[in-house]
Amino acid sequence: MTITVHADVVVAGGSVAGLICAREIARNEGSVIVLEEDYEIGTPEHCGGLVSLSGLEELGVIPSRKTYEHLIERAEIFSPNNTSFTLNSKNQKIAEVNRRELDKQIAHQAQKNGAIIKVKTSFQKLIDGGVRTNEEEIKCKIFVDARGVSSLGQKDRSGIIPSAQYEIYADWIKKGKVEVHFDQDKYPGFFAWIIPIEEGKGKVGVAGRGINVASTIENFLGKREKHSTIRKIFAPIWIKGPIKKFTDGRTVTIGDAAGQTKPTTAGGIFSSGLGGLYAGQSISEFLKTHDTSCLENYQNVWMRRFGKEFEKQIIARKILERLDNNTINKLLESMTPSIIKEISENEDFDFHSSSIVKLLGLRGSIKTAQTLVKGEIRKMLSFDA
Ligand SMILES: Cc1cc2nc3c(=O)[nH]c(=O)nc-3n(C[C@H](O)[C@H](O)[C@H](O)COP(=O)(O)OP(=O)(O)OC[C@H]3O[C@@H](n4cnc5c(N)ncnc54)[C@H](O)[C@@H]3O)c2cc1C
């Protein structure tokens, strides 16, 4: 016999967006159940874990010592011909967080507010007035889709690119130093990265359109000195920006499932987390007033915060995808100490399109790139006019 339970809201997906949304609904006295199909919150971790401390604070999370070890102090950017320059990132206060711990910390906040979290429980489908899980039927007023990129894959595959990320031990991983490697032949439209967890331990990743990420990451690691791999993760990332409608009737879509990750780097702890927060507040308002315009208002709030920035990032992505290795080499070689200093001092990790403009030399010097992507550059600069 199927058991039927009731809640105001069911959230499918117990990660950063879903848990923050549930925390907010429960804080406002709504009853909410979070379904997570994996057997443990925060696992398997599929994230580089880079996030600004100011972003975490806005999400309402004060990270504990368990959550992060250290701040990122510098980022070395490599061009395809292996020349590099280093940005000082101390001002930005970016942490490398342990997502297994961060997600559990948010789950605890949600639970303390009154949310119920169920692991090893998957959302299967919407039914009349509720949802069906692998265990039961739950009657609810609102369904929140926080299932991440897997939800987008069912609708549109064109914005998805594959990624691989290995956690490794290696003496060449330096605490506080991120590396980013551009090479359009090896990582088309994306890059390879190294993110330290601590001295001698970190995450190495690759992503790119149409590549075999398993062999690409092995090649990347094969060129480095000795290492030992302790974890492998293969996960899709979304780089096409927000979906058209966050709210459809009584279904509210949040986080990666709504395309709320940065189109440049696919980073989404902050922007997807805020999607969860804004949606949680709008749903709470709806539960009090029964006014459906509250649900739609969530999209307006998120777009006011990220709409323009994400549009600029989409243009920056289009530019990157059209540059060949030769042009990237020239662009990065032309970085002057004053541009590097300006980016280091003024970069905003969460809204970084203005740094990309500076990086690409779009305000002046680089004729090659300007000729190649004139239209896009004009569009990108026109946002600032
Ligand atoms: C390799 C990689 C590196 C990244 N690095 C960074 C980084 O350094 N910084 C950054 O800010 N962002 C990074 N991101 C992005 C970041 O991980 C996501 O933006 C963020 O986790 C989005 O959170 P979410 O809650 O929207 O979705 P997700 O974290 O994807 O969570 C979705 C959840 O839904 C669950 N689920 C799916 N289907 C069902 C179902 N049917 N029923 C129940 N549960 C279901 C999943 O198990 C999962 O727990 C990275 C992503 C990848 C892939």
Side-chain angles (χ1 to χ4, degrees):
M1 197 184 71
T2 314
I3 311 155
T4 305
V5 287
H6 294 259
D8 289 328
V9 183
V10 170
V11 178
S15 181
V16 64
L19 291 167
I20 288 179
C21 182
R23 181 192 75 193
E24 293 306 301
I25 294 166
R27 191 165 64 85
N28 287 290
E29 275 145 34
S31 59
V32 52
I33 298 176
V34 180
L35 312 172
E36 171 50 54
E37 72 178 1
D38 275 313
Y39 56 87
E40 185 181 341
I41 295 294
T43 304
E45 179 175 329
H46 55 270
C47 189
L50 292 181
V51 62
S52 64
L53 291 185
S54 60
L56 280 180
E57 194 180 335
E58 204 175 332
L59 294 178
V61 187
I62 314 276
S64 68
R65 271 285 148 204
K66 260 186 179 176
T67 318
Y68 83 100
E69 285 266 339
H70 69 298
L71 294 178
I72 302 301
E73 294 185 344
R74 58 197 197 282
E76 189 167 4
I77 317 290
F78 289 83
S79 47
N81 66 7
N82 222 25
T83 55
S84 71
F85 66 90
T86 300
L87 295 169
N88 180 330
S89 58
K90 276 189 193 154
N91 280 355
Q92 299 162 46
K93 301 218 172 348
I94 304 161
E96 180 283 320
V97 295
N98 176 334
R99 283 293 302 271
R100 282 158 269 187
E101 289 304 330
L102 182 78
D103 289 18
K104 286 194 181 75
Q105 202 180 333
I106 305 170
H108 197 195
Q109 291 178 326
Q111 182 273 333
K112 279 197 285 186
N113 286 353
I116 292 172
I117 299 163
K118 291 167 173 253
V119 293
K120 204 81 194 120
T121 309
S122 63
F123 161 80
Q124 289 183 335
K125 63 173 188 175
L126 286 172
I127 53 166
D128 191 24
V131 303
R132 174 164 302 144
T133 78
N134 57 324
E135 289 181 342
E136 60 198 359
E137 285 182 4
I138 309 177
K139 294 281 179 201
C140 61
K141 296 173 190 150
I142 300 288
F143 168 64
V144 176
D145 183 356
R147 288 176 291 159
V149 179
S150 66
S151 175
L152 279 162
Q154 294 158 12
K155 299 167 195 150
D156 176 5
R157 296 208 64 79
S158 67
I160 293 180
I161 58 178
S163 81
Q165 183 174 268
Y166 291 3
E167 210 169 296
I168 64 169
Y169 295 130
D171 294 344
W172 41 268
I173 292 189
K174 298 291 163 214
K175 189 173 171 177
K177 183 188 160 197
V178 162
E179 285 184 24
V180 177
H181 294 253
F182 287 100
D183 189 318
Q184 289 289 70
D185 298 334
K186 294 179 183 157
Y187 329 111
F190 217 80
F191 47 83
W193 64 91
I194 299 175
I195 299 172
I197 297 171
E198 57 191 54
E199 189 77 14
K201 183 182 176 192
K203 299 166 194 173
V204 174
V206 300
R209 278 198 196 277
I211 60 170
N212 176 334
V213 285
S215 59
T216 306
I217 198 167
E218 293 297 344
N219 285 340
F220 181 80
L221 283 167
K223 294 202 169 53
R224 316 286 301 205
E225 286 163 38
K226 256 186 5 201
H227 65 274
S228 294
T229 308
I230 53 171
R231 252 177 119 241
K232 293 184 177 183
I233 284 290
F234 298 91
I237 52 181
W238 176 260
I239 42 91
K240 213 175 158 183
I243 59 170
K244 283 209 169 61
K245 276 180 83 176
F246 292 174
T247 303
D248 187 4
R250 299 293 169 93
T251 297
V252 178
T253 307
I254 62 172
D256 279 19
Q260 293 169 348
T261 43
K262 290 184 214 167
T264 44
T265 61
I269 299 174
F270 176 58
S271 46
S272 283
L274 266 192
L277 191 129
Y278 294 151
Q281 291 169 344
S282 295
I283 292 168
S284 302
E285 203 51 37
F286 165 79
L287 292 173
K288 282 183 195 141
T289 61
H290 307 290
D291 176 358
T292 48
S293 69
C294 299
L295 298 178
E296 268 134 40
N297 194 39
Y298 138 63
Q299 178 151 2
N300 300 334
V301 178
W302 191 92
M303 288 303 284
R304 268 202 297 278
R305 193 73 197 279
F306 294 101
K308 265 194 170 180
E309 170 68 17
F310 274 40
E311 267 187 65
K312 286 201 256 182
Q313 291 191 16
I314 287 168
I315 299 169
R317 154 157 297 289
K318 279 193 192 151
I319 295 173
L320 173 68
E321 293 199 1
R322 289 174 58 185
L323 299 181
D324 60 15
N325 276 350
N326 202 15
T327 311
I328 296 178
N329 286 334
K330 283 188 188 148
L331 277 171
L332 299 192
E333 273 160 22
S334 70
M335 243 356 78
T336 62
S338 71
I339 299 176
I340 294 172
K341 186 163 178 273
E342 203 187 327
I343 296 176
S344 297
E345 282 171 6
N346 302 318
E347 157 85 338
D348 181 336
F349 182 70
D350 299 312
F351 296 88
H352 60 208
S353 62
S354 62
S355 297
I356 296 172
V357 170
K358 287 172 204 145
L359 257 177
L360 290 169
L362 304 187
R363 295 238 181 252
S365 58
I366 308 301
K367 291 273 179 306
T368 341
Q370 288 187 347
T371 323
L372 266 172
V373 287
K374 231 196 273 157
E376 277 96 346
I377 290 172
R378 233 184 275 124
K379 250 198 265 169
M380 195 160 171
L381 293 177
S382 72
F383 279 102
D384 295 329

